[in-house]
Amino acid sequence: MGKPKKRTSPRRTGTRRSHLALKLARAVNAKSPVKAYTTRREAGKTKA
């Protein structure tokens, strides 16, 4: 099945699937020793 690009109500902020995944990834990164990919900029922080 195809995945929706946005939630049904278009005028709410942060309801894109990518935003939801980003929120979850940041929550994981706060606790877990195994880091999840968030954004290109944020992913580079740990290496430098």
Side-chain angles (χ1 to χ4, degrees):
M1 264 175 64
K3 294 184 180 84
K5 203 168 217 170
K6 294 178 188 167
R7 289 253 189 105
T8 49
S9 56
R11 285 201 172 266
R12 284 187 51 202
T13 55
T15 52
R16 285 184 81 93
R17 193 167 23 101
S18 58
H19 292 174
L20 298 169
L22 189 61
K23 187 179 170 188
L24 286 169
R26 285 191 178 129
V28 164
N29 288 349
K31 295 173 187 166
S32 173
V34 180
K35 300 302 175 193
Y37 180 84
T38 51
T39 60
R40 203 174 1 146
R41 278 183 172 174
E42 285 185 27
K45 266 195 233 171
T46 53
K47 289 179 188 171

